[in-house]
Amino acid sequence: MGNLCGLLSPEPVKSARPTSSSKARPPSPPSVIASLSNRWSKLRSSSSSSRKDNRSIQEQALAAAIILQHRRQNGKSTPVDRSSSLRYTSPSGPKKQGLPRSCSSRARSVTDPLLQPHQLLNQDVKLDELETNHLVLVHGGGFGAWCWYKTIALLEEAGFKVMPIDLTGSGFNSFDTSEVTSISQYVKPLTDHLEKLANDEKVILVGHDFGGTCISYAMELFPSKITKAVFIAAAMLRNGQSTLDMWSQQAASNDLMQKAQIFLYANGKDQPPTAIDLDKSFLSDLLFNQSPAKDVALAAVSMRPIPFKPVLEKLSLSDVNYGSVRRFYIETPEDNAISVELQDNMIKLNPPERVFRLKGADHSPFFSKPQALHKLLVEISKIHPLDQVLEKDGLG
């Protein structure tokens, strides 16, 4: 995650929270789920009030998190409140021109337009003509599968098969974050999923933030099972780089990051840190500066520390494996966690096939721009390899 750049700060960490073991959360009984569901519905129906107090927002977010957990445990669908995607964007100054952008990254209105899934999915799209309609969503550092709840609903309603992953020690995964000691251990839920796929089944990997490192690791192991990789405000590393190597490029210029980070020392202060947490008072400005209040509240009760050692690990990426997977990058210009300059630098040094700029998006576009993000994911899923396009046009 972008806050990890502060690890290079010459100042020692001012304070550290004592690490508590991350225990598994027991499934909620049906009566509790029903009660929470009813409470959530009532809270949602009153969301038009501009004077909703913080306590009500927190209760709504907590109920949403528990219902999402229940849904994932039982394989059931839960309606999503799309009104939460509305958000006014802040005026922004002129942006530095980088690589040519996709024509789909057009200027948008001050809100993320509320469209039905069939409108978001272009009329000429036929799911059975896609290379794959199976998307695997990989969260960033501190997040969990819960952060994709809007994206999951939009993609599933459009006919896609979606698998959100809880990485080890993240989301509802019960493992203690401080005990994650390698990238292979951290990414194991993702690699397990890919390993279990049928030989002829392929997926599109989508990685956010530190999830970019995770999908890169998986691309090296399972290139034949991955048709495309989409990096959303994510670490897009080169061979021999670690996530910390990348984040360190903005360490001196991001004071907000350094203020937000809290090192955790499960093995004692005389040993290296085992994880990094975020000061909740900085979350809104750092990660969700364009996102709805209810999603910030959901994150505040759901985010977990980031394991330290995987951030330090350098990846071994080959042209034969990692390099054979088609890569796409989605930039987030209103990002306070990973600057646009850093995103542009990653793109310049390790060019993907295409770059999209999601205007008005903060570091968490699945909250701040869910409709526009969905549209881009659908568009990327439609892009066929050049040889197939030429053959279709009679030029191959």
Side-chain angles (χ1 to χ4, degrees):
M1 173 175 273
N3 61 304
L4 300 175
C5 66
L7 291 171
L8 298 185
S9 171
E11 296 292 331
V13 178
K14 296 180 180 179
S15 63
R17 294 178 184 169
T19 304
S20 59
S21 177
S22 302
K23 303 292 185 183
R25 301 173 186 172
S28 302
S31 60
V32 175
I33 293 296
S35 175
L36 283 168
S37 182
N38 291 335
R39 185 169 182 76
W40 191 26
S41 297
K42 291 178 182 178
L43 286 165
R44 287 165 58 191
S45 66
S46 64
S47 62
S48 60
S49 171
S50 61
R51 294 190 294 265
K52 182 189 293 181
D53 58 38
N54 288 336
R55 183 174 179 179
S56 175
I57 296 175
Q58 294 267 354
E59 288 177 346
Q60 181 180 167
L62 182 58
I66 296 175
I67 290 170
L68 177 60
Q69 179 187 21
H70 182 69
R71 175 201 176 201
R72 296 190 67 233
Q73 290 171 339
N74 295 277
K76 296 179 180 179
S77 296
T78 301
V80 173
D81 179 10
R82 284 196 187 80
S83 66
S84 60
S85 65
L86 285 174
R87 174 73 183 191
Y88 289 98
T89 60
S90 302
S92 56
K95 304 294 181 183
K96 187 170 105 178
Q97 283 298 110
L99 295 178
R101 310 291 170 181
S102 165
C103 60
S104 69
S105 53
R106 58 184 174 82
R108 300 184 184 278
S109 65
V110 293
T111 60
D112 193 28
L114 297 180
L115 302 175
Q116 295 301 314
H118 71 275
Q119 293 174 298
L120 288 165
L121 188 64
N122 292 347
Q123 295 297 320
D124 60 343
V125 173
K126 296 181 180 178
L127 293 175
D128 57 358
E129 292 183 358
L130 300 177
E131 290 179 279
T132 180
N133 69 343
H134 184 174
L135 278 76
V136 178
L137 309 179
V138 182
H139 62 80
F143 291 85
W146 51 266
C147 73
W148 300 104
Y149 78 95
K150 296 178 184 179
T151 302
I152 294 168
L154 290 169
L155 287 170
E156 286 183 344
E157 290 176 9
F160 286 83
K161 178 180 178 180
V162 187
M163 179 61 189
I165 299 290
D166 269 331
L167 299 173
T168 305
S170 305
F172 293 116
N173 185 288
S174 62
F175 201 85
D176 187 340
T177 305
S178 286
E179 295 181 4
V180 179
T181 59
S182 67
I183 190 72
S184 61
Q185 182 184 17
Y186 184 56
V187 182
K188 193 172 187 302
L190 171 60
T191 54
D192 283 350
H193 177 71
L194 294 175
E195 191 170 19
K196 292 174 183 176
L197 293 177
N199 292 333
D200 60 345
E201 188 172 4
K202 298 180 183 294
V203 303
I204 296 173
L205 289 187
V206 180
H208 169 248
D209 186 82
F210 190 23
T213 300
C214 300
I215 66 173
S216 296
Y217 180 88
M219 290 156 64
E220 180 65 26
L221 294 180
F222 301 98
S224 64
K225 293 185 176 183
I226 305 166
T227 63
K228 300 181 182 78
V230 184
F231 294 76
I232 304 174
M236 189 167 62
L237 307 182
R238 291 174 292 159
N239 180 45
Q241 278 191 315
S242 69
T243 306
L244 183 58
D245 291 335
M246 185 59 66
W247 298 154
S248 65
Q249 297 178 30
Q250 66 173 10
S253 61
N254 201 322
D255 184 58
L256 185 59
M257 294 292 188
Q258 298 183 33
K259 290 179 179 178
Q261 67 188 10
I262 301 172
F263 291 100
L264 304 180
Y265 298 85
N267 301 324
K269 289 287 188 70
D270 58 335
Q271 299 296 318
T274 53
I276 306 167
D277 206 354
L278 289 177
D279 186 328
K280 297 298 188 290
S281 65
F282 290 98
L283 284 183
S284 181
D285 290 337
L286 182 64
L287 306 176
F288 312 112
N289 50 296
Q290 300 295 322
S291 297
K294 65 172 67 176
D295 292 324
V296 180
L298 173 61
V301 299
S302 305
M303 292 191 74
R304 293 175 63 183
I306 307 157
F308 184 74
K309 289 188 176 179
V311 177
L312 305 178
E313 191 170 330
K314 297 183 183 294
L315 293 189
S316 178
L317 304 173
S318 67
D319 291 337
V320 174
N321 294 333
Y322 167 84
S324 68
V325 180
R326 303 168 68 201
R327 288 178 292 114
F328 301 82
Y329 200 98
I330 298 178
E331 283 192 328
T332 47
E334 304 299 328
D335 200 322
N336 287 341
I338 305 178
S339 67
V340 175
E341 289 74 22
L342 178 55
Q343 295 180 57
D344 281 336
N345 191 48
M346 287 188 286
I347 290 166
K348 178 181 178 181
L349 296 176
N350 191 14
E353 182 173 321
R354 286 176 66 177
V355 176
F356 300 82
R357 174 166 285 187
L358 194 51
K359 294 185 178 181
D362 58 20
H363 187 63
S364 306
F366 36 75
F367 289 158
S368 60
K369 287 289 182 180
Q371 308 275 356
L373 175 62
H374 168 79
K375 189 167 187 250
L376 283 184
L377 292 176
V378 172
E379 180 174 340
I380 291 171
S381 74
K382 294 165 50 184
I383 302 174
H384 286 271
L386 181 60
D387 57 345
Q388 293 185 22
V389 174
L390 292 176
E391 182 178 354
K392 182 176 179 179
D393 292 340
L395 300 175

